[in-house]
Amino acid sequence: QPSDVIALRILTYIYQQRRDWPRLSQVAGRLAQLQPARKEYALIALTAAFKATDFVEGRRNSWALLASAPDADLVNRVLDIWVDHWPSKQRVADAIKLGRAARDPRLGISYADFLNRVGSPAAALQLVSNRARYPISAETVDANAVAAEAYGLTGKVRDAAKRFGDVLAFDPGNTIALRGRAMLLIRTGKVEDAIADAEKLVTIAPTVANYRLLLARAYMAAGSSRQAERTLWDAFRDIPAEEKIYAALVKFTRGDSDQHVALREEFDRQTATKTSQGLL
C-alpha cells in the first residue's frame, strides 16, 4: 500500500535514526506528495537529499518549494538547509535568480541575507539596493541591515558600523543587524562588544542554534574557552537534537572519552524523542 501514511511515517523515523539519507529522502518525499500541506516532510526530504550528496535531487526539491510563492518562514528554512548542506556555487546563482523574481520584498531580503551568509555580499547589495535607503523605517530597516553587513564583508568597515548603528537605533532588536555587527566586531577585535550583541541575540531568539554558536565564537575570540563551552552545553540542553550544537561540543569532549560517549548517547536520545514527536 504505497499510500499508507502511517507506515511511511514509521519508515521516516527509522531511516532518520539510522541516518540512511538516500532512503529517507525517498520516503519523506513520498509523504510530501501525499500530504502537501505538511511542509515538514518536504523539508526532511530536501535535507536528506543534500546529506546523501544527491545535489541534483536536493536542488529539484528546493525549487519545488521556493518557486510556489512560499512564505518568508519557509524560504528561510530552505536557505538554512542550503547554508548547512549544499556547498555548491549553484546555490548563489539560484538565490540571485529567485531573489530578483520575488514579488514580496521580504523574500528578496531573505535571499540577500543568505548571500551575505555564504560570502557573496556584492550580490546581496544588488538585491537590496532599491530598499536600503534613508530615512530608516519599518519598510527599509531589514534591507539596511543586510546592506550594512554586506559593506562590512567587502571591507567598508566604517560604513558598515554607521549603518548598523542607525538600524539598531531604530530597531534595537533587529536580529540581522545584531548578528552582522557581532561578526564584524569579532573580525575587528572588539570582542567584548561582540559578546554583548550575541548575548542580546540569544535573549531575543533562544532557540536559534546559530546565535548560540555565535556567542560561543565570541567567547573563544575573547580567550574564554570555558565560557564558550558553557554556552554550548546550555544550548545543548535548551535546543535538543541540534546537530550543529552537538558537532561543536564534540570538539570540547574529545579529550574525555567518557564524556564523549555520554554526549553521543544523550544526542541520540534527544534525536529519537524529537523525531518521534514530530512524525508519529
Side-chain angles (χ1 to χ4, degrees):
Q1 298 185 29
S3 61
D4 188 332
V5 170
I6 293 177
L8 289 168
R9 288 180 184 175
I10 295 172
L11 282 172
T12 299
Y13 172 78
I14 291 170
Y15 291 145
Q16 280 190 313
Q17 292 303 106
R18 292 182 177 178
R19 294 173 174 81
D20 188 337
W21 309 127
R23 288 192 175 91
L24 177 59
S25 175
Q26 294 172 5
V27 172
R30 179 63 179 157
L31 272 173
Q33 292 173 355
L34 293 171
Q35 297 188 322
R38 291 195 62 174
K39 299 301 183 185
E40 190 64 33
Y41 296 138
L43 291 168
I44 291 171
L46 170 63
T47 304
F50 281 127
K51 286 185 173 182
T53 66
D54 188 349
F55 299 131
V56 172
E57 180 68 13
R59 182 172 183 251
R60 184 184 300 116
N61 291 344
S62 297
W63 274 85
L65 288 169
L66 296 174
S68 58
D71 58 36
D73 178 67
L74 180 59
V75 169
N76 288 328
R77 293 178 74 181
V78 172
L79 294 178
D80 284 343
I81 293 169
W82 284 13
V83 170
D84 293 335
H85 303 297
W86 191 18
S88 168
K89 293 181 180 179
Q90 183 64 52
R91 63 183 179 175
V92 173
D94 285 356
I96 292 171
K97 185 174 182 178
L98 288 162
R100 288 173 176 169
R103 296 182 179 180
D104 185 340
R106 293 174 301 171
L107 301 186
I109 290 168
S110 292
Y111 288 113
D113 184 47
F114 164 79
L115 289 167
N116 274 337
R117 292 165 66 193
V118 297
S120 297
L125 276 174
Q126 290 181 352
L127 285 185
V128 299
S129 59
N130 291 333
R131 295 184 62 81
R133 59 182 184 273
Y134 281 75
I136 292 177
S137 65
E139 290 73 29
T140 66
V141 64
D142 285 342
N144 274 290
V146 170
E149 183 167 14
Y151 287 143
L153 291 169
T154 55
K156 299 177 181 177
V157 174
R158 189 170 298 177
D159 292 340
K162 181 184 184 307
R163 193 163 299 219
F164 277 135
D166 292 341
V167 167
L168 291 169
F170 178 84
D171 179 10
N174 188 283
T175 55
I176 298 174
L178 286 168
R179 184 202 67 209
R181 189 171 73 172
M183 295 174 69
L184 177 65
L185 290 167
I186 291 173
R187 292 196 302 271
T188 56
K190 299 177 181 179
V191 290
E192 294 300 325
D193 292 334
I195 290 171
D197 278 354
E199 286 178 335
K200 190 169 185 178
L201 276 172
V202 171
T203 300
I204 293 169
T207 60
V208 176
N210 285 335
Y211 299 161
R212 302 293 187 111
L213 292 169
L214 178 58
L215 179 57
R217 177 184 169 189
Y219 279 127
M220 289 296 293
S224 182
S225 60
R226 181 172 297 180
Q227 189 62 43
E229 184 177 2
R230 186 177 297 117
T231 296
L232 293 173
W233 280 112
D234 289 343
F236 187 68
R237 182 191 65 243
D238 297 339
I239 316 172
E242 173 52 59
E243 291 182 355
K244 289 181 285 188
I245 299 296
Y246 168 72
L249 274 173
V250 165
K251 298 177 182 178
F252 280 97
T253 61
R254 282 176 178 166
D256 187 331
S257 59
D258 290 340
Q259 189 181 44
H260 185 80
V261 170
L263 173 66
R264 179 72 210 188
E265 290 176 347
E266 175 60 17
F267 179 71
D268 287 343
R269 187 196 65 78
Q270 290 180 353
T271 302
T273 300
K274 182 178 179 180
T275 304
S276 61
Q277 289 175 344
L279 293 172
L280 298 183

